[in-house]
Amino acid sequence: MEEFHKVRRLPPYVFEQVNRLKASARAGGADIIDLGMGNPDLPTPQAIVDKLCEVVQDPRTHRYSSSKGIPGLRRAQAAYYARRFNVKLNPDTQVVATLGSKEGFANMAQAITAPGDVILCPNPTYPIHAFGFLMTGGVIRSITVEPDETFFPPLERAVRHSIPKPIALILNYPSNPTAMVATLDFYKDVIAFAKKHDIIVLSDLAYSEIYFDGNPPPSVLEVPGAMDCTVEFTSMSKTFSMPGWRMGFAVGNERLISALTRVKSYLDYGAFTPIQVAATHALNGDGTDIAEVRSVYHRRRDVMVESFGKAGFEVPPPAATMFAWAKIPEKFRHLGSLEFSKLLVEKADVAVAPGIGFGEMGDEYVRLALVENEHRIRQAARNIKKFFSTADETMHNVISLNAHR
């Protein structure tokens, strides 16, 4: 039977190929060290869990909630922005709770996109940034991801040569997957560009608190006037090790937040109230939990950079996020990221995310998630070193899928 229209617009899910191989290897008894999916392994802080357990005992909290988020939660998010970024938000009109930043992005796409609208999207980037809009009938025009002076000339060309004119520009810093971090000066230039061309700015700041070396990433909303055209998405998944809780936020321009809130009101009743109360408790905390999570990822980053480097796999130290973005070693680069990722599962018992899954510009890279402990990261490096040392003998029959193109 013919595929449905929206399903046809989606490419094959690249990561599923690695996931199937990983599952098959585990079924055969292999101990796969999984550095692929960005699924935090750290437990949610106990005080947050305790608050959930306390509130869930009250049967009044078992009823439908508001998709916009309970007032206390929205006030807590506004207070976080005031403390962290010195950005003032009205919790009633400029903050909406989302079921994670991913759902927020997808429903914002529903709210603002008409069929054929052009969206400026980084390549490589987190898949929902592009596919949330593709599923609504939008058109993606890829732009570079480097947050420096090279960012703007291609952006100017994209605006000049796109018909119709783009309606929105997506930002994602710290970036998933590249781990690049933007400066406030860069954001100032972005907002000036957006206002000049009447473009909406959608910023994914999910990794605002996972940073290293004492350099906290800024928010684009710190730029004067950014509130006129910008919505920013954050998540509690990484900051508080709460991925399965599905709690995030969209904040910013009132008109855009109102549109997102209206769409959400037709689609969901919001997160379970005890989760919202526990999330409020987390946001109102003293920051100790956040600092501990950051410290764990920092140690893992340093271990990965050192041990993988000794194994012959150079991993640049990321300045932020729970990921490293590493170029495939020269010897294997011709295979492409998907085939290289499959090889690591088969030959080294290590799973990574192929860069092609984040866009065609990522095909020379793989993403490594810091979601295994330091011992397991070192073991992954040893496994990879052993594979590299025997690759000439074991890879004589491996052919790149690109070889016949």
Side-chain angles (χ1 to χ4, degrees):
M1 294 180 65
E2 187 178 356
E3 287 277 20
F4 296 109
H5 170 70
K6 287 193 176 182
V7 176
R8 285 202 310 271
R9 291 178 65 84
L10 300 176
Y13 193 57
V14 169
F15 305 115
E16 185 56 33
Q17 297 186 47
V18 178
N19 290 341
R20 282 199 302 268
L21 198 61
K22 182 172 62 180
S24 176
R26 282 176 169 158
D31 177 21
I32 301 297
I33 301 171
D34 194 351
L35 307 176
M37 186 177 179
N39 192 3
D41 65 312
L42 301 176
T44 303
Q46 190 59 46
I48 302 172
V49 176
D50 289 344
K51 177 58 70 172
L52 173 73
C53 294
E54 172 194 332
V55 178
V56 80
Q57 300 301 320
D58 183 349
R60 292 175 298 177
T61 66
H62 300 177
R63 306 180 73 183
Y64 288 130
S65 187
S66 166
S67 64
K68 186 177 182 178
I70 61 175
L73 178 61
R74 287 183 278 114
R75 287 194 296 268
Q77 175 69 351
Y80 160 73
Y81 258 78
R83 291 192 309 270
R84 174 70 165 78
F85 303 113
N86 197 30
V87 171
K88 185 177 180 180
L89 295 168
N90 182 330
D92 293 324
T93 61
Q94 295 178 313
V95 180
V96 60
T98 64
L99 304 180
S101 58
K102 188 173 183 178
E103 175 267 320
F105 243 95
N107 278 328
M108 180 59 79
Q110 293 271 3
I112 69 173
T113 313
D117 278 346
V118 177
I119 312 297
L120 302 173
C121 183
N123 189 340
T125 195
Y126 188 54
I128 194 63
H129 297 154
F131 295 114
F133 288 93
L134 285 174
M135 283 188 283
T136 65
V139 176
I140 296 298
R141 179 147 189 163
S142 293
I143 58 173
T144 184
V145 70
E146 287 80 6
D148 55 27
E149 66 279 357
T150 67
F151 184 84
F152 292 97
L155 202 60
E156 290 281 3
R157 287 195 299 273
V159 170
R160 192 161 57 245
H161 297 296
S162 294
I163 300 174
K165 182 179 72 68
I167 67 162
L169 165 65
I170 296 171
L171 302 177
N172 176 212
Y173 304 104
S175 167
N176 177 9
T178 70
M180 294 176 182
V181 179
T183 65
L184 197 54
D185 284 340
F186 171 78
Y187 282 147
K188 289 176 182 177
D189 291 341
V190 167
I191 295 302
F193 175 89
K195 289 195 165 189
K196 174 184 175 183
H197 295 287
D198 191 25
I199 290 174
I200 296 165
V201 175
L202 302 176
S203 170
D204 186 345
L205 191 64
Y207 297 91
S208 60
E209 301 306 329
I210 309 300
Y211 60 86
F212 312 120
D213 308 319
N215 296 313
S219 162
V220 67
L221 290 173
E222 294 179 58
V223 176
M227 201 71 71
D228 298 336
C229 60
T230 303
V231 167
E232 192 157 68
F233 300 84
T234 57
S235 168
M236 301 190 72
S237 297
K238 279 73 178 181
T239 303
F240 294 98
S241 299
M242 296 171 64
W245 299 57
R246 306 315 301 135
M247 181 54 61
F249 301 91
V251 306
N253 177 266
E254 289 188 9
R255 177 170 173 262
L256 294 169
I257 292 297
S258 175
L260 173 59
T261 302
R262 186 169 183 186
V263 167
K264 281 177 57 63
S265 71
Y266 282 91
L267 298 177
D268 71 68
Y269 284 107
F272 187 37
T273 298
I275 289 177
Q276 295 194 49
V277 175
T280 304
H281 181 74
L283 286 168
N284 288 334
D286 61 6
T288 304
D289 295 333
I290 301 174
E292 178 55 30
V293 168
R294 187 185 302 129
S295 176
V296 169
Y297 286 130
H298 196 166
R299 292 194 300 270
R300 291 179 180 182
R301 178 200 74 163
D302 292 346
V303 167
M304 177 176 284
V305 170
E306 178 190 12
S307 60
F308 275 55
K310 289 179 179 177
F313 192 172
E314 294 301 321
V315 175
T321 77
M322 54 187 290
F323 306 113
W325 184 241
K327 203 159 196 176
I328 299 169
E330 181 67 38
K331 186 180 207 173
F332 305 95
R333 205 168 295 161
H334 68 283
L335 297 173
S337 60
L338 180 57
E339 292 305 303
F340 178 68
S341 299
K342 290 179 178 180
L343 273 178
L344 288 186
V345 174
E346 294 173 343
K347 308 292 187 181
D349 291 341
V350 174
V352 300
I356 189 67
F358 304 96
E360 67 272 19
M361 299 305 293
D363 201 24
E364 291 189 346
Y365 296 81
V366 293
R367 192 193 70 179
L368 307 161
L370 303 172
V371 293
E372 295 268 14
N373 64 40
E374 295 168 41
H375 169 75
R376 297 274 287 173
I377 291 172
R378 289 192 178 94
Q379 183 61 53
R382 288 193 291 269
N383 291 1
I384 289 172
K385 183 177 183 179
K386 182 178 178 181
F387 161 51
F388 285 178
S389 69
T390 61
D392 289 338
E393 291 78 36
T394 60
M395 285 185 55
H396 61 279
N397 62 343
V398 175
I399 301 173
S400 169
L401 289 179
N402 298 318
H404 301 296
R405 293 180 182 175

